[in-house]
Amino acid sequence: RDFLPRGSGIVTRRPLILQLIFSKTEYAEFLHCKSKKFTDFDEVRQEIEAETDRVTGTNKGISPVPINLRVYSPHVLNLTLIDLPGITKVPVGDQPQDIEYQIKDMILQFISRESSLILAVTPANMDLANSDALKMAKEVDPQGLRTIGVITKLDLMDEGTDARDVLENKLLPLRRGYIGVVNRSQKDIDGKKDIRAALAAERKFFLSHPAYRHMADRMGTPHLQKVLNQQLTNHIRETLPSLRSKLQSQLLSLEKEVEEYKNFRPDDPTRKTKALLQMVQQFGVDFEKRIEGSGDQVDTLELSGGARINRIFHERFPFELVKMEFDEKDLRREISYAIKNIHGVRQTGLFTPDLAFEAIVKKQVVKLKEPCLKCVDLVIQELINTVRQCTSKLGSYPRLREETERIVTTHIREREGKTKDQILLLIDIELSYINTNHEDFIGFANAQQRNTQTNKKRAIPNQVIRRGWLTINNISIMKGGSKEYWFVLTAESLSWYKDEEEKEKKYMLPLDNLKIRDVEKGFMSNKHVFAIFNTEQRNVYKDLRQIELACDSQEDVDSWKASFLRAGVYPEKDQTENEDGAQENTFSMDPQLERQVETIRNLVDSYVGIINKSIRDLMPKTIMHLMINNTKDFIHSELLAYLYSSADQNSLMEESADQAQRRDDMLRMYHALKEALNIIGDISTSTVSTPVPPPVDDTWLQTSSGHSADLPPPSSPPQPPSAVLPPGRPPAPAAPPAVRGPGSIPIPAGGPSSFAAPPIPSRPGPQNNFAANNDPFSAPPQIPSRPARIPPG
């Protein structure tokens, strides 16, 4: 069939991906109009021209967007060809000034792929050394492993000349050699000369021409077809083992995901009920595992669920408590006012008033309400985040996920109120009775003699409390600028090292007299900063009064502060009120009053310590019992009932469109992979093949030939193109090329497999390879650089 557009000037203005597929019936179809089958090939030609004009216009414009055409016929071999525009030197019509470079870029996009077979088409009546096709092929395939030469217009050569030396691979040798073809003339095309008649005329030409008759069996379009088809067959045979392995690994990766879909039957009435029960049960198990920490899928990237709640209980909450404990000047001023107000107009008594102690203690205990309620809020946020993470598995059913989140979150909010009431009740119970007979209370006698500094509790010496990366933020650029170090905090010191191997220690800072203060985040910085300073106004590190330490998040800052707290380094208190001179004048210089203030301060410190210890113990227990464990029980025992009562089961189990599409795609892929593996298993890999032609030695041509250095010069004895590739060493690619008319550069093509009709690719597929190389064993024959002119026979 003749269906490719022909004519003068540039006819092919878009790449044409042509798939030839052996079939009992004959028809063609385009990717851009898949529903239509073309049986009249004149219409195919018209559609190619029309589709070209739709994108490029009617005035010789070009476009790299390919046209995809599939031809089914009993007269073709399975091949995929790509027909590319010929190289244009001078722009015409609407063509841009850089048309030559645009076409070269388009061609290189296709021929640069290692899987493409390059057909370098050159007219016989043109000097081979000037062939653009051979030059471009050599640029991308310098070894000539995937290049085959095609010589056209053999019947148009000058009288007395022939291309015998070229076709015998003597002039400009290629590893795969050259194949000559004779196409129809423009007159034959205009006269609608039949393709069969053209092939017969081509055969007659080679058999009757004295220069070509001895190689007639290796010339002509049918031989070119067979060579290309054999290369495709060889490539498929060689790639089957790796293809099988790839398919099997894909099948295994899909196996687990497809398991729930393999027996999927949408019309099964029990399916939705079963899926609902399974998903609610799985949600309960996931929630419990995230809280209890026994999950089979442990998150290795960040803390989640129970681990974050544990950090709130034992780091964040104690830190919030301590922030309120040690405001020394405020506490002493309040005690002084309390003692004076209790005595009223009377002179300060000889004994410490109990009422002042109780008033100060109650005021300190009331302050505990805020951090306790804040702790509950933090735990609630983590619980809600955990619920959302666990419902991610319900994404297939958006309504079920939405309802589950709503019901569980509503229950958590209900428990929030009860938990907060219970915690406030605990604090009110503490306020209702001040138990001065508590076994841990120091009592009046000890309070008078107590030295808080000597009795200050410290952790075990040399105990490592925390390790991690921190940035020292306030080192000047002149001294190296801010830099990240590996910090180690122990019960007695803070050290930092060059890296986490802890071999090169930079500095060690004792913790005595150190405190922490907040530092505002820099305007242009995304780091969160806190500072360590010495309460005795000494430099902490070199000439720095404080060290500013930077973390990536506020959460890291709070965590480090809690770690310093465990080491006995406390936060600085806001002393703005104390800095007012008028405030200082309120303290009496009465030594008796000062002794009473000191005694009550020690008593308050002891008793508030007892309260804090009790609250730190009871808070996690209360939250666990009233909120976390209760929520787990609710999910296991009541969630399903709430779901049934909140909505109809059918509406709950409606799949999202995305999920249905995903399931269909996955099942289709799964069955396609299985079918592909079955087909591969049935294929015989005993394809007959011949060795790859040896490399040709063209080094001797570098000095004797006047050809362009870009082209491989002539060389050794004739190397007929091989019809097939060796079993052990096939061409790199996979599919045959496209043959073009005179003056054009045909190029690679992705090929259909020999066992199944492949889909029409939107871009060229794999292809085959050929080459020119050096043969160290071949004797360099003396061959002229241009074909000898022989009188006509």
Side-chain angles (χ1 to χ4, degrees), residues 334-347:
E334 288 173 5
I335 293 172
S336 174
Y337 284 147
I339 293 173
K340 288 180 178 180
N341 288 334
I342 286 170
H343 285 298
V345 297
R346 293 167 292 157
Q347 179 63 29

mmCIF file of all heavy atoms in Angstrom, residues 334-347:
data_model
loop_
_atom_site.group_PDB
_atom_site.id
_atom_site.type_symbol
_atom_site.label_atom_id
_atom_site.label_comp_id
_atom_site.label_asym_id
_atom_site.label_seq_id
_atom_site.Cartn_x
_atom_site.Cartn_y
_atom_site.Cartn_z
ATOM 1 N N GLU A 334 5.701 38.619 98.847
ATOM 2 C CA GLU A 334 4.345 38.207 99.214
ATOM 3 C C GLU A 334 4.287 37.727 100.663
ATOM 4 O O GLU A 334 3.319 38.007 101.401
ATOM 5 C CB GLU A 334 3.871 37.102 98.260
ATOM 6 C CG GLU A 334 3.569 37.595 96.851
ATOM 7 C CD GLU A 334 3.257 36.451 95.904
ATOM 8 O OE1 GLU A 334 3.190 35.303 96.387
ATOM 9 O OE2 GLU A 334 3.082 36.693 94.695
ATOM 10 N N ILE A 335 5.292 36.977 101.113
ATOM 11 C CA ILE A 335 5.315 36.490 102.499
ATOM 12 C C ILE A 335 5.386 37.678 103.474
ATOM 13 O O ILE A 335 4.692 37.718 104.495
ATOM 14 C CB ILE A 335 6.516 35.541 102.710
ATOM 15 C CG1 ILE A 335 6.321 34.257 101.891
ATOM 16 C CG2 ILE A 335 6.678 35.212 104.195
ATOM 17 C CD1 ILE A 335 7.533 33.349 101.871
ATOM 18 N N SER A 336 6.201 38.675 103.136
ATOM 19 C CA SER A 336 6.338 39.849 103.985
ATOM 20 C C SER A 336 5.016 40.583 104.127
ATOM 21 O O SER A 336 4.587 40.940 105.231
ATOM 22 C CB SER A 336 7.402 40.781 103.401
ATOM 23 O OG SER A 336 7.465 41.984 104.111
ATOM 24 N N TYR A 337 4.342 40.781 102.962
ATOM 25 C CA TYR A 337 3.033 41.442 103.022
ATOM 26 C C TYR A 337 2.049 40.622 103.853
ATOM 27 O O TYR A 337 1.265 41.161 104.638
ATOM 28 C CB TYR A 337 2.469 41.630 101.609
ATOM 29 C CG TYR A 337 3.100 42.744 100.833
ATOM 30 C CD1 TYR A 337 3.246 42.649 99.455
ATOM 31 C CD2 TYR A 337 3.534 43.904 101.462
ATOM 32 C CE1 TYR A 337 3.815 43.673 98.724
ATOM 33 C CE2 TYR A 337 4.107 44.942 100.743
ATOM 34 C CZ TYR A 337 4.254 44.823 99.371
ATOM 35 O OH TYR A 337 4.810 45.834 98.656
ATOM 36 N N ALA A 338 2.064 39.293 103.671
ATOM 37 C CA ALA A 338 1.113 38.440 104.393
ATOM 38 C C ALA A 338 1.334 38.549 105.902
ATOM 39 O O ALA A 338 0.371 38.676 106.689
ATOM 40 C CB ALA A 338 1.272 36.995 103.927
ATOM 41 N N ILE A 339 2.579 38.517 106.350
ATOM 42 C CA ILE A 339 2.869 38.599 107.791
ATOM 43 C C ILE A 339 2.405 39.946 108.346
ATOM 44 O O ILE A 339 1.747 40.030 109.391
ATOM 45 C CB ILE A 339 4.379 38.393 108.039
ATOM 46 C CG1 ILE A 339 4.770 36.955 107.680
ATOM 47 C CG2 ILE A 339 4.738 38.697 109.498
ATOM 48 C CD1 ILE A 339 6.255 36.699 107.731
ATOM 49 N N LYS A 340 2.722 41.023 107.628
ATOM 50 C CA LYS A 340 2.333 42.348 108.114
ATOM 51 C C LYS A 340 0.819 42.497 108.156
ATOM 52 O O LYS A 340 0.247 43.045 109.113
ATOM 53 C CB LYS A 340 2.919 43.428 107.199
ATOM 54 C CG LYS A 340 4.436 43.593 107.352
ATOM 55 C CD LYS A 340 4.927 44.677 106.406
ATOM 56 C CE LYS A 340 6.433 44.878 106.577
ATOM 57 N NZ LYS A 340 6.956 45.929 105.677
ATOM 58 N N ASN A 341 0.150 42.023 107.120
ATOM 59 C CA ASN A 341 -1.305 42.178 107.080
ATOM 60 C C ASN A 341 -1.992 41.345 108.160
ATOM 61 O O ASN A 341 -3.042 41.721 108.690
ATOM 62 C CB ASN A 341 -1.839 41.784 105.702
ATOM 63 C CG ASN A 341 -1.478 42.812 104.657
ATOM 64 O OD1 ASN A 341 -1.285 43.991 104.981
ATOM 65 N ND2 ASN A 341 -1.380 42.377 103.400
ATOM 66 N N ILE A 342 -1.429 40.193 108.489
ATOM 67 C CA ILE A 342 -2.023 39.346 109.529
ATOM 68 C C ILE A 342 -1.860 40.011 110.902
ATOM 69 O O ILE A 342 -2.764 39.995 111.724
ATOM 70 C CB ILE A 342 -1.389 37.956 109.506
ATOM 71 C CG1 ILE A 342 -1.914 37.184 108.292
ATOM 72 C CG2 ILE A 342 -1.697 37.181 110.794
ATOM 73 C CD1 ILE A 342 -1.199 35.907 108.020
ATOM 74 N N HIS A 343 -0.722 40.672 111.144
ATOM 75 C CA HIS A 343 -0.529 41.355 112.430
ATOM 76 C C HIS A 343 -1.337 42.645 112.501
ATOM 77 O O HIS A 343 -1.693 43.097 113.602
ATOM 78 C CB HIS A 343 0.965 41.665 112.633
ATOM 79 C CG HIS A 343 1.763 40.457 112.991
ATOM 80 N ND1 HIS A 343 1.552 39.730 114.127
ATOM 81 C CD2 HIS A 343 2.801 39.835 112.340
ATOM 82 C CE1 HIS A 343 2.402 38.716 114.187
ATOM 83 N NE2 HIS A 343 3.172 38.761 113.089
ATOM 84 N N GLY A 344 -1.633 43.203 111.341
ATOM 85 C CA GLY A 344 -2.438 44.432 111.361
ATOM 86 C C GLY A 344 -1.692 45.577 112.027
ATOM 87 O O GLY A 344 -0.521 45.819 111.770
ATOM 88 N N VAL A 345 -2.400 46.240 112.968
ATOM 89 C CA VAL A 345 -1.804 47.416 113.618
ATOM 90 C C VAL A 345 -0.854 47.010 114.721
ATOM 91 O O VAL A 345 -0.112 47.829 115.260
ATOM 92 C CB VAL A 345 -2.911 48.335 114.191
ATOM 93 C CG1 VAL A 345 -3.779 48.880 113.081
ATOM 94 C CG2 VAL A 345 -3.753 47.585 115.215
ATOM 95 N N ARG A 346 -0.896 45.752 115.082
ATOM 96 C CA ARG A 346 -0.029 45.303 116.171
ATOM 97 C C ARG A 346 1.420 45.179 115.705
ATOM 98 O O ARG A 346 1.699 45.017 114.533
ATOM 99 C CB ARG A 346 -0.511 43.942 116.684
ATOM 100 C CG ARG A 346 -1.880 44.014 117.380
ATOM 101 C CD ARG A 346 -2.452 42.618 117.593
ATOM 102 N NE ARG A 346 -2.797 42.005 116.311
ATOM 103 C CZ ARG A 346 -2.879 40.696 116.157
ATOM 104 N NH1 ARG A 346 -2.608 39.879 117.145
ATOM 105 N NH2 ARG A 346 -3.216 40.210 114.982
ATOM 106 N N GLN A 347 2.316 45.195 116.677
ATOM 107 C CA GLN A 347 3.739 45.027 116.390
ATOM 108 C C GLN A 347 3.985 43.593 115.908
ATOM 109 O O GLN A 347 3.275 42.675 116.303
ATOM 110 C CB GLN A 347 4.552 45.299 117.663
ATOM 111 C CG GLN A 347 6.052 45.140 117.495
ATOM 112 C CD GLN A 347 6.645 46.138 116.500
ATOM 113 O OE1 GLN A 347 6.095 47.231 116.352
ATOM 114 N NE2 GLN A 347 7.698 45.750 115.814
#
